[in-house]
Short mmCIF file of all heavy atoms in Angstrom, two decimals:
data_model
loop_
_atom_site.label_atom_id
_atom_site.label_comp_id
_atom_site.label_asym_id
_atom_site.label_seq_id
_atom_site.Cartn_x
_atom_site.Cartn_y
_atom_site.Cartn_z
N SER X 112 10.54 54.02 -33.34
CA SER X 112 10.06 54.32 -34.67
C SER X 112 9.64 55.78 -34.70
O SER X 112 9.87 56.51 -33.73
CB SER X 112 8.93 53.39 -35.06
OG SER X 112 7.76 53.69 -34.32
N SER X 113 9.00 56.17 -35.73
CA SER X 113 8.62 57.59 -35.85
C SER X 113 7.60 58.00 -34.79
O SER X 113 7.50 59.18 -34.45
CB SER X 113 8.06 57.89 -37.26
OG SER X 113 6.95 57.06 -37.49
N ASN X 114 6.83 57.06 -34.26
CA ASN X 114 5.82 57.44 -33.31
C ASN X 114 5.84 56.67 -31.97
O ASN X 114 5.06 56.98 -31.10
CB ASN X 114 4.44 57.38 -33.90
CG ASN X 114 4.13 55.99 -34.44
OD1 ASN X 114 5.00 55.12 -34.51
ND2 ASN X 114 2.90 55.78 -34.85
N ILE X 115 6.66 55.63 -31.81
CA ILE X 115 6.69 54.89 -30.52
C ILE X 115 8.12 54.60 -30.07
O ILE X 115 9.04 54.51 -30.87
CB ILE X 115 5.88 53.59 -30.59
CG1 ILE X 115 6.43 52.68 -31.71
CG2 ILE X 115 4.43 53.85 -30.77
CD1 ILE X 115 5.75 51.31 -31.75
N ASN X 116 8.24 54.48 -28.75
CA ASN X 116 9.52 54.10 -28.11
C ASN X 116 9.26 52.90 -27.19
O ASN X 116 8.27 52.90 -26.48
CB ASN X 116 10.07 55.24 -27.24
CG ASN X 116 10.67 56.32 -28.04
OD1 ASN X 116 11.26 56.12 -29.06
ND2 ASN X 116 10.53 57.52 -27.52
N GLU X 117 10.17 51.92 -27.21
CA GLU X 117 10.07 50.81 -26.26
C GLU X 117 10.50 51.31 -24.90
O GLU X 117 11.56 51.93 -24.76
CB GLU X 117 10.96 49.67 -26.72
CG GLU X 117 10.92 48.46 -25.82
CD GLU X 117 11.78 47.33 -26.31
OE1 GLU X 117 11.95 47.16 -27.53
OE2 GLU X 117 12.34 46.62 -25.48
N VAL X 118 9.70 50.99 -23.87
CA VAL X 118 10.01 51.37 -22.51
C VAL X 118 10.54 50.21 -21.73
O VAL X 118 11.54 50.35 -20.97
CB VAL X 118 8.76 51.94 -21.81
CG1 VAL X 118 9.03 52.30 -20.35
CG2 VAL X 118 8.23 53.16 -22.56
N PHE X 119 9.93 49.06 -21.84
CA PHE X 119 10.31 47.87 -21.06
C PHE X 119 10.01 46.62 -21.90
O PHE X 119 9.02 46.57 -22.60
CB PHE X 119 9.50 47.82 -19.77
CG PHE X 119 9.70 46.59 -18.95
CD1 PHE X 119 10.85 46.45 -18.17
CD2 PHE X 119 8.79 45.57 -18.99
CE1 PHE X 119 11.04 45.29 -17.43
CE2 PHE X 119 8.97 44.41 -18.24
CZ PHE X 119 10.11 44.25 -17.46
N CYS X 120 10.85 45.61 -21.71
CA CYS X 120 10.63 44.33 -22.39
C CYS X 120 11.25 43.22 -21.56
O CYS X 120 12.31 43.35 -20.99
CB CYS X 120 11.27 44.34 -23.76
SG CYS X 120 10.89 42.83 -24.72
N SER X 121 10.47 42.11 -21.44
CA SER X 121 10.99 40.93 -20.77
C SER X 121 10.41 39.71 -21.41
O SER X 121 9.30 39.75 -21.97
CB SER X 121 10.72 40.95 -19.27
OG SER X 121 9.33 40.75 -19.02
N GLN X 122 11.10 38.57 -21.33
CA GLN X 122 10.60 37.28 -21.81
C GLN X 122 11.08 36.22 -20.83
O GLN X 122 12.13 36.35 -20.24
CB GLN X 122 11.00 37.02 -23.20
CG GLN X 122 12.45 37.24 -23.54
CD GLN X 122 12.76 37.25 -25.02
OE1 GLN X 122 11.88 37.40 -25.84
NE2 GLN X 122 14.03 37.13 -25.37
N CYS X 123 10.24 35.20 -20.63
CA CYS X 123 10.55 34.20 -19.63
C CYS X 123 9.82 32.91 -19.95
O CYS X 123 9.03 32.88 -20.86
CB CYS X 123 10.11 34.71 -18.23
SG CYS X 123 8.39 35.30 -18.22
N ASP X 124 10.12 31.86 -19.23
CA ASP X 124 9.54 30.56 -19.56
C ASP X 124 8.98 29.80 -18.34
O ASP X 124 9.09 28.60 -18.25
CB ASP X 124 10.56 29.69 -20.28
CG ASP X 124 11.82 29.42 -19.48
OD1 ASP X 124 11.95 29.97 -18.37
OD2 ASP X 124 12.70 28.68 -19.96
N GLU X 125 8.40 30.54 -17.39
CA GLU X 125 7.72 29.94 -16.23
C GLU X 125 6.26 30.36 -16.24
O GLU X 125 5.97 31.45 -16.75
CB GLU X 125 8.40 30.39 -14.95
CG GLU X 125 9.85 29.92 -14.79
CD GLU X 125 10.46 30.42 -13.50
OE1 GLU X 125 9.71 30.96 -12.66
OE2 GLU X 125 11.68 30.29 -13.35
N ASP X 126 5.41 29.53 -15.70
CA ASP X 126 3.99 29.90 -15.65
C ASP X 126 3.71 31.24 -15.01
O ASP X 126 4.18 31.51 -13.91
CB ASP X 126 3.19 28.81 -14.86
CG ASP X 126 3.04 27.51 -15.67
OD1 ASP X 126 3.26 27.53 -16.88
OD2 ASP X 126 2.71 26.51 -15.03
N GLY X 127 2.98 32.10 -15.69
CA GLY X 127 2.59 33.40 -15.18
C GLY X 127 3.70 34.39 -14.93
O GLY X 127 3.51 35.38 -14.24
N CYS X 128 4.88 34.14 -15.49
CA CYS X 128 6.05 34.99 -15.19
C CYS X 128 5.94 36.38 -15.84
O CYS X 128 6.72 37.27 -15.49
CB CYS X 128 7.32 34.31 -15.59
SG CYS X 128 7.45 33.91 -17.34
N ASN X 129 5.00 36.62 -16.77
CA ASN X 129 4.91 37.93 -17.40
C ASN X 129 3.82 38.75 -16.78
O ASN X 129 3.39 39.76 -17.28
CB ASN X 129 4.65 37.79 -18.90
CG ASN X 129 3.36 37.13 -19.23
OD1 ASN X 129 2.76 36.45 -18.44
ND2 ASN X 129 2.92 37.30 -20.45
N SER X 130 3.32 38.34 -15.60
CA SER X 130 2.32 39.09 -14.87
C SER X 130 2.98 40.11 -13.95
O SER X 130 4.19 40.03 -13.70
CB SER X 130 1.38 38.19 -14.08
OG SER X 130 2.14 37.56 -13.05
N GLY X 131 2.18 41.02 -13.42
CA GLY X 131 2.74 42.00 -12.48
C GLY X 131 3.22 41.32 -11.19
O GLY X 131 4.21 41.70 -10.63
N GLY X 132 2.53 40.31 -10.80
CA GLY X 132 2.92 39.50 -9.63
C GLY X 132 2.57 38.05 -9.97
O GLY X 132 1.61 37.81 -10.69
N ARG X 133 3.34 37.17 -9.46
CA ARG X 133 3.06 35.74 -9.73
C ARG X 133 1.69 35.34 -9.12
O ARG X 133 1.48 35.65 -7.98
CB ARG X 133 4.16 34.87 -9.15
CG ARG X 133 5.52 35.12 -9.77
CD ARG X 133 5.71 34.55 -11.14
NE ARG X 133 5.38 33.16 -11.23
CZ ARG X 133 6.25 32.17 -11.31
NH1 ARG X 133 7.53 32.40 -11.27
NH2 ARG X 133 5.86 30.91 -11.41
N PHE X 134 0.86 34.68 -9.89
CA PHE X 134 -0.42 34.24 -9.36
C PHE X 134 -0.29 32.84 -8.77
O PHE X 134 0.37 31.98 -9.33
CB PHE X 134 -1.47 34.21 -10.48
CG PHE X 134 -1.84 35.55 -10.94
CD1 PHE X 134 -1.28 36.11 -12.06
CD2 PHE X 134 -2.74 36.30 -10.23
CE1 PHE X 134 -1.62 37.37 -12.50
CE2 PHE X 134 -3.13 37.56 -10.63
CZ PHE X 134 -2.53 38.07 -11.79
N GLY X 135 -0.95 32.64 -7.63
CA GLY X 135 -1.01 31.34 -7.03
C GLY X 135 0.34 30.98 -6.44
O GLY X 135 1.13 31.80 -6.00
N PHE X 136 0.62 29.67 -6.42
CA PHE X 136 1.86 29.17 -5.83
C PHE X 136 2.35 28.06 -6.70
O PHE X 136 1.67 27.57 -7.60
CB PHE X 136 1.67 28.70 -4.38
CG PHE X 136 0.51 27.72 -4.28
CD1 PHE X 136 0.66 26.40 -4.49
CD2 PHE X 136 -0.75 28.23 -3.94
CE1 PHE X 136 -0.42 25.53 -4.39
CE2 PHE X 136 -1.83 27.37 -3.86
CZ PHE X 136 -1.68 26.04 -4.06
N ASP X 137 3.58 27.66 -6.52
CA ASP X 137 4.19 26.65 -7.37
C ASP X 137 3.64 25.29 -6.98
O ASP X 137 3.92 24.73 -5.91
CB ASP X 137 5.68 26.70 -7.20
CG ASP X 137 6.43 25.91 -8.26
OD1 ASP X 137 5.73 25.11 -8.97
OD2 ASP X 137 7.63 26.07 -8.42
N VAL X 138 2.82 24.68 -7.84
CA VAL X 138 2.15 23.43 -7.58
C VAL X 138 3.17 22.30 -7.49
O VAL X 138 2.99 21.38 -6.69
CB VAL X 138 1.10 23.16 -8.66
CG1 VAL X 138 0.43 21.81 -8.43
CG2 VAL X 138 0.05 24.24 -8.66
N LYS X 139 4.22 22.37 -8.26
CA LYS X 139 5.23 21.29 -8.23
C LYS X 139 5.91 21.24 -6.87
O LYS X 139 6.14 20.17 -6.32
CB LYS X 139 6.24 21.51 -9.34
CG LYS X 139 5.66 21.35 -10.69
CD LYS X 139 6.67 21.68 -11.77
CE LYS X 139 5.97 21.99 -13.05
NZ LYS X 139 6.67 22.85 -13.90
N LEU X 140 6.25 22.42 -6.32
CA LEU X 140 6.91 22.46 -5.03
C LEU X 140 5.96 21.94 -3.94
O LEU X 140 6.36 21.19 -3.09
CB LEU X 140 7.31 23.89 -4.70
CG LEU X 140 8.02 24.12 -3.36
CD1 LEU X 140 9.31 23.32 -3.32
CD2 LEU X 140 8.33 25.58 -3.21
N LEU X 141 4.69 22.31 -4.02
CA LEU X 141 3.71 21.81 -3.10
C LEU X 141 3.57 20.27 -3.19
O LEU X 141 3.51 19.58 -2.21
CB LEU X 141 2.35 22.47 -3.29
CG LEU X 141 1.23 21.97 -2.41
CD1 LEU X 141 1.51 22.33 -0.96
CD2 LEU X 141 -0.09 22.57 -2.86
#
Side-chain angles (χ1 to χ4, degrees):
S112 70
S113 60
N114 57 351
I115 58 175
N116 286 326
E117 180 179 328
V118 176
F119 174 79
C120 185
S121 70
Q122 48 194 16
C123 51
D124 59 357
E125 295 178 11
D126 285 343
C128 60
N129 64 341
S130 65
R133 298 284 307 255
F134 290 98
F136 50 87
D137 193 346
V138 177
K139 293 175 201 154
L140 181 60
L141 178 65

